[in-house]
Amino acid sequence: MRDDHDTPGNGGHEARSGRVETREERADRRWAELLQEVRVTQTGVQILFAFLLTVAFTPRFQGLGQVDRGIYVVTVLLGAAATGALIAPVALHRIVTGRRLKPETVDWASRSTVAGLVLLLCTVASALLLILRVVVADVTAFWLVAAAVIWFVTCWFVPAVWLFHRSRRER
């Protein structure tokens, strides 16, 4: 996912909003920014995943019906997938370090992080559904989860899409 564009004839430098940096400098900056973002999300997803893993060992779990057990299995699998996607940038970087692939590594790591965020959203929605089905009526649980998903999409993705389209119109 690119946030700057090469300008032909600029000697390998990229300019955006007055910033002039080489392709490698840009990759270093983007990598540092991505690492900060991933640190925040990794902590959250790992805590959620750890909590999910303990649920099966609680006394109340034995009383869950087949549907709720199915939701639980899907939730745990989504949590595992989110954890994998959000840790993937670290593994990728470690494996390709020193091979002069930083720009490509940052692009792949960025894609993996976005996939991890989508999986985290699905994990949270599924966990909410499981918990709310125990607390309120099924229909109410569904609508509460739908509202939560809309909220997360609005907070996490809508501003980025809006900024992306606005910046494309301005070019």
Side-chain angles (χ1 to χ4, degrees):
M1 302 177 98
R2 298 190 52 128
D3 59 22
D4 299 336
H5 296 283
D6 289 327
T7 305
N10 67 356
H13 287 76
E14 299 177 19
R16 181 177 183 255
S17 304
R19 179 180 299 218
V20 176
E21 53 191 5
T22 65
R23 181 174 187 246
E24 291 77 20
E25 290 168 337
R26 178 174 171 263
D28 288 340
R29 174 183 54 81
R30 290 182 66 214
W31 180 252
E33 292 170 356
L34 182 65
L35 277 183
Q36 290 302 320
E37 297 161 3
V38 168
R39 282 185 184 117
V40 172
T41 56
Q42 278 179 346
T43 302
V45 76
Q46 287 171 342
I47 290 169
L48 176 59
F49 187 55
F51 168 75
L52 289 170
L53 292 176
T54 64
V55 168
F57 301 102
T58 63
R60 181 102 188 230
F61 185 79
Q62 299 307 317
L64 292 181
Q66 284 304 111
V67 172
D68 290 327
R69 284 175 181 257
I71 294 170
Y72 174 75
V73 169
V74 168
T75 304
V76 169
L77 291 173
L78 286 168
T83 300
L86 291 168
I87 292 174
V90 175
L92 174 64
H93 181 262
R94 184 54 27 221
I95 292 167
V96 301
T97 271
R99 301 185 194 270
R100 298 179 185 249
L101 296 170
K102 179 73 77 74
E104 295 85 353
T105 301
V106 173
D107 287 341
W108 277 102
S110 181
R111 289 181 187 107
S112 177
T113 301
V114 171
L117 288 171
V118 170
L119 288 165
L120 178 58
L121 171 65
C122 294
T123 305
V124 170
S126 186
L128 280 173
L129 182 60
L130 180 63
I131 292 165
L132 291 173
R133 280 177 46 91
V134 172
V135 177
V136 297
D138 289 354
V139 174
T140 304
F142 173 80
W143 287 111
L144 290 172
V145 170
V149 167
I150 290 168
W151 174 251
F152 280 119
V153 168
T154 300
C155 291
W156 293 0
F157 302 109
V158 170
V161 170
W162 182 79
L163 286 171
F164 177 75
H165 286 296
R166 190 184 86 183
S167 71
R168 289 193 70 166
R169 279 194 307 253
E170 290 174 358
R171 286 186 202 158

